[in-house]
Each structure stands twice: as C-alpha cells, then as structure tokens.
Amino acid sequence: MKTVRSFSPTTTNKRPLKGNASFPLLTTCRQTAKMFSIICLLTSPFATAEDSVPQGFYGSVSLFTGFSGTTSPLSTDSDAVISEYSTSENNSEVVVIPFWDVKYRLNSTSELYIETDIVGMASDFYLNAGYRHYLKDDSYLALGIVPGLLEKEVWKNPYLLNTQRETTKAAVRGVIANYNKLLGSDWSVELARGEFNVDEDTTVAELQRDATLSYVELSYDMQLNQQWGVEWVGHYLDIQSDASAPDSQRYGMDVETQYRTGRHVVMAGASSGQQNFDKELALFGRTRKDDRFGLSATYVYASPFNIDSTLMIVRGGWDHVDSNIDVYDSDNYLVTIGMQYQF
C-alpha cells in the first residue's frame, strides 16, 4: 500500500505535456477535488452560508483508499527495465489519497487557506496556500502559491531500453488566482503560472521535461432544479520548454451531471482533450499529438451511520490517451471509497 504520488503536467489530461509517462490518478480523479467545493450545495444538511462562518478554523479533511492501475511503459509503476516502447503490462496497486481544505477566517470577508488539489496548472496532486476575499455578491477572489512541497516520482530517463531505469523527483511551483462566481454569476475563472522541474533529467535535450506553465480554466455550474445540476469546465494549458523539447498546448473540456435526492448524490462525468506539439521528435521521427478521453462516476451519501458533518464518497474513473507515438499511449483507472469530515 502506498500514498498517492503526484503526476506530470506533461502527460495526461486534470488540471499534460511532453516527454513523460501517463499516470493513473490524474483524469480519473480530476473532479474528485472539485466535487468537495460543491458538496455543501448538493447536500442540504451541510449547507452553510460563507458569511455565517465565525472567526477561526473551519474546513474539511478526507481520506480515500482503493485500487489504481495503469498501462504505460513510461510510468514508474512499470518495470525498471523495458525492452520496447509499444507494449506494457497493466500495473495495479492499492492507493491511499488524502485531501484537506483548512481555512482560518480572519473576519466576515477574509480568510487564509491551505488545501490539496488535483486539478489546474499542476494537472497533479499538489498543495495550494493563500488568501481569499469574499464579496457581497457571494463571489470571492483568491490568490495562492503552489510551493512544490508534494513532489512526485519520475524516471530520470524514461526512454532507456534494456537498461535499469532510476527514479528522481519532480514538482510544480507557481501562483494561482481564482475568481469564483464571477460577478455573482454561475461562472468561475482560474489563472495560473508556474514551473515544472525534474531534479535529475538525464534524457536528451529534445525530451527534457523542465517547462514554464500557463493555465486558464473557465467553469460554469448550472443548477437546473432542486435535483439536477450540470458543471462544465473548459481548460487550456500552454507549456514552453526550458530546453529544446517541443512546446505544446493542451485543450480540454469536462462535463459532470449531478442528481441529488435526500441524503444521496449521484454524479456522472466525461472528459475529452487534445495536446498538440510544435515540432518533430527526432527519436520517433514525427510530431507528437495526443487525444484523451475519460469517464467517471461518483456516489455521495451524507451522514453515514447518522454521523453529523460526514460524507461517504465512492468514486470510479477511467482515462485513455491515444497518441500518434505508441510510447505515449496509456490506459488508467481508479476506484476508491472514502470519508470526508467537515468541521
């Protein structure tokens, strides 16, 4: 058993780029963190207006466990020695995934926060800390930093054949700005800028992964009635290589429907996206292009065993990457069950 590792912004979907492996918890978990921000609206027992929060600490902590699997020769879950790029066995494992969103209310309009997330610029599991300011129209502005404390494991050179591959660490660092419920509407926007760095990248220059990231996300949360809702998320990630590797742009769209009745919430989601690279990779003799597709399903039960301020959440997801270069093809899945406690 192991805790969840972070994943490269260069490979799949969340909140991916060049010369890296696909990882199982990215797109399949993309909506998991987002889901927590709307649970209070979906489950009436926990609905609380922001302006009623007293000064001091409040928030939520969550813990998930389950199974994940990936099929990709570039994943660190694959064998350390590979003889070819085009095939890979499915590698499955038990995972433990923590989430938290802890806030300290300074006054009626301001708070500090520290949270984990798995969406946005990092396209990965990351830590975000910052400041939020609430406006009278029920919207808020937030500015945060991603310090890169939650590093991930990657191969120093994932492309070695018939040679023992060694691991190193990588992280995303940067800043994030949010405007939630833009001008009191159902629209929200996120802007981010940062750097993706690999500690020891021993690949050739055209495959090195250090890059500058620029991210834009626009979402729309539409509540159709007391039972049904739909959330749309469009996102764009621009990746500018720090070496001679190709630059790339990733476009994506996620949609998730929500049905709620009593203490029950059911969600079903789908995601699609494309990532285009700007020049040919000499190692493979072509310019890379990736297409992505994912599906997810979630069940939420409020106050299990009549325990106040808790949620039981069951979630499953699948993500497929189809690249015109075989080494970047991947299939990933994740099935988890967990609890959230709100305080």
Side-chain angles (χ1 to χ4, degrees):
M1 178 182 294
K2 56 178 152 181
T3 56
V4 63
R5 294 183 306 223
S6 46
F7 310 101
S8 169
T10 61
T11 56
T12 58
N13 182 355
K14 355 245 11 241
R15 277 17 144 205
L17 310 180
K18 44 183 174 294
N20 220 340
S22 295
F23 298 88
L25 301 181
L26 185 55
T27 53
T28 54
C29 269
R30 178 177 172 80
Q31 291 299 329
T32 301
K34 282 276 188 180
M35 176 180 61
F36 297 151
S37 66
I38 63 173
I39 285 297
C40 289
L41 299 177
L42 300 179
T43 52
S44 56
F46 301 143
T48 303
E50 291 294 347
D51 57 9
S52 69
V53 177
Q55 183 176 356
F57 287 101
Y58 76 105
S60 66
V61 292
S62 310
L63 185 66
F64 292 83
T65 186
F67 294 91
S68 73
T70 183
T71 303
S72 169
L74 303 186
S75 168
T76 53
D77 292 324
S78 63
D79 293 336
V81 179
I82 57 174
S83 59
E84 57 182 334
Y85 295 135
S86 59
T87 61
S88 177
E89 294 182 358
N90 182 279
N91 298 283
S92 60
E93 61 188 3
V94 175
V95 294
V96 177
I97 310 171
F99 283 103
W100 64 85
D101 181 7
V102 178
K103 293 161 276 197
Y104 183 81
R105 200 58 172 248
L106 301 171
N107 51 50
S108 62
T109 60
S110 303
E111 69 185 16
L112 303 176
Y113 70 89
I114 181 169
E115 65 181 8
T116 53
D117 212 337
I118 202 164
V119 296
M121 168 185 65
S123 301
D124 208 326
F125 192 70
Y126 68 97
L127 181 71
N128 176 23
Y131 169 81
R132 289 192 186 109
H133 180 74
Y134 290 89
L135 305 175
K136 293 182 179 179
D137 58 8
D138 198 32
S139 64
Y140 70 73
L141 298 168
L143 181 64
I145 61 170
V146 179
L149 299 179
L150 300 182
E151 296 181 318
K152 69 178 180 180
E153 184 182 73
V154 298
W155 297 117
K156 292 181 181 179
N157 184 347
Y159 303 97
L160 290 176
L161 295 177
N162 303 310
T163 303
Q164 184 85 14
R165 296 182 293 180
E166 299 179 348
T167 61
T168 186
K169 297 294 183 179
V172 172
R173 299 174 178 86
V175 296
I176 298 177
N178 296 91
Y179 190 170
N180 189 65
K181 295 188 176 181
L182 186 67
L183 299 176
S185 70
D186 293 324
W187 293 91
S188 298
V189 64
E190 177 178 306
L191 304 173
R193 177 84 170 178
E195 297 283 341
F196 176 72
N197 299 114
V198 178
D199 286 348
E200 298 179 70
D201 193 336
T202 60
T203 59
V204 297
E206 73 159 2
L207 295 173
Q208 289 187 354
R209 292 154 284 182
D210 286 2
T212 299
L213 312 175
S214 300
Y215 180 78
V216 179
E217 177 181 295
L218 184 66
S219 62
Y220 181 65
D221 188 4
M222 178 171 57
Q223 297 306 309
L224 303 176
N225 52 43
Q226 291 295 319
Q227 291 182 311
W228 288 95
V230 180
E231 183 184 24
W232 299 82
V233 181
H235 41 91
Y236 167 77
L237 180 64
D238 178 75
I239 306 101
Q240 299 293 317
S241 174
D242 293 347
S244 60
D247 299 330
S248 70
Q249 291 77 43
R250 188 196 71 199
Y251 309 84
M253 175 68 73
D254 301 346
V255 60
E256 187 167 59
T257 60
Q258 307 124 20
Y259 175 77
R260 50 200 178 273
T261 178
R263 293 159 62 178
H264 307 274
V265 181
V266 178
M267 303 180 186
S271 63
S272 64
Q274 187 175 92
Q275 187 165 350
N276 299 311
F277 296 75
D278 68 350
K279 60 183 178 182
E280 180 179 296
L281 290 171
L283 178 63
F284 303 109
R286 66 181 64 182
T287 301
R288 180 181 168 189
K289 178 181 177 181
D290 295 348
D291 294 303
R292 296 177 174 79
F293 181 74
L295 296 172
S296 65
T298 306
Y299 169 70
V300 181
Y301 180 58
S303 300
F305 309 108
N306 293 318
I307 302 174
D308 292 340
S309 302
T310 61
L311 299 170
M312 182 184 73
I313 304 170
V314 181
R315 187 167 180 84
W318 166 77
D319 176 44
H320 175 73
V321 178
D322 183 17
S323 177
N324 64 338
I325 299 177
D326 289 345
V327 68
Y328 299 109
D329 289 343
S330 69
D331 279 287
N332 310 293
Y333 73 87
L334 175 69
V335 178
T336 62
I337 184 171
M339 296 287 294
Q340 181 188 75
Y341 174 69
Q342 300 175 348
F343 58 91

